[in-house]
Amino acid sequence: LYTAPDSCEGRCGEPFSEEDECHCHAECGRDRSCCEDHERHCGPDGFSSSRDSITDQELLELSEQLYGVDHNKARPSDVALNPQHRAGPGETGDKQDRSPQPLYKYVNEELFSKPTYASFIKLLDNYQRATGREEEVTAEELREQDRFLEEVMKTELMKKLFAFLRGKSRYGSEQEFVQDLKEMWFGLYSRGDGERDSSGFEHVFSGEVKKGKVSGFHNWIRFYLLEKQGVVNYFSHNFDGPWDTYPDVLGLQFSWDGFYKEVGSAFIGCSPEFEFGLYSLCFLARPGRA
């Protein structure tokens, strides 16, 4: 399921891209540009037969469907933002705080008692943000990971995602899917010095500090909770999505305990399962590529 750049696993029938070092589309044999394992995966008996490839159109349609069934997202009355200064291209890197007020004027914290939110929030304090220092995972933290996965899998959104992936021969059972999600998001890997110091979840949702800069940190709930504690300082935004409801998308500048994020983007007001499902889909459908 995790495609190496020189493999056709999961890539049969995908459109030609100059960026790929070898190819898996139907005509690659003609110009001798196929990956070495093309026949094994994409031949008539291969796992990755073209009927199981995921097209751009399917990605678009499924993403819209996931958006449509995000029943736990914030309503317009649940969140009030105060975006203040909009930074121009030359201003995002200069570390100037151009917005004296916090980003969040109001959040209805009743949202956080919903099971997917509550189990998500419990995970946020499980990480050391500095890269290069090995993460220690306790038995309690492992239970929190399992609880979160259990709660998101109860939602219509994640059930729809699983049904799609099973239809594409990616998974035979929900148990197999959950096991893969656990490894994909919570499995540890190294971002520096060979230490097992990072995970997908830590990077995307909780945030890290690498070489004196904030890395990752794309979650609106995490931002709100830390801003409320006074450890995150909102500076400005350089992008505001054209939507008039939630989730909205904001590109923003901020400082976290003195460490700066030049451009961070976040879905504002979506449920944890929406981001978790959407990013999992992208990772599985286009591993290693845009």
Side-chain angles (χ1 to χ4, degrees), residues 67-87:
Y67 178 91
V69 295
D70 185 13
H71 304 308
N72 285 326
K73 68 183 176 192
R75 297 176 308 248
S77 58
D78 287 331
V79 179
L81 293 180
N82 184 15
Q84 301 164 81
H85 183 77
R86 182 158 189 164

Side-chain angles (χ1 to χ4, degrees), residues 2-4 41 50 52 62 64 79 93 159 164 177 191 243:
Y2 307 112
T3 308
H41 288 295
S50 57
D52 293 330
L62 182 62
E64 289 289 356
V79 179
K159 287 191 185 303
F164 173 82
F177 179 46
R191 272 189 183 269
W243 301 278

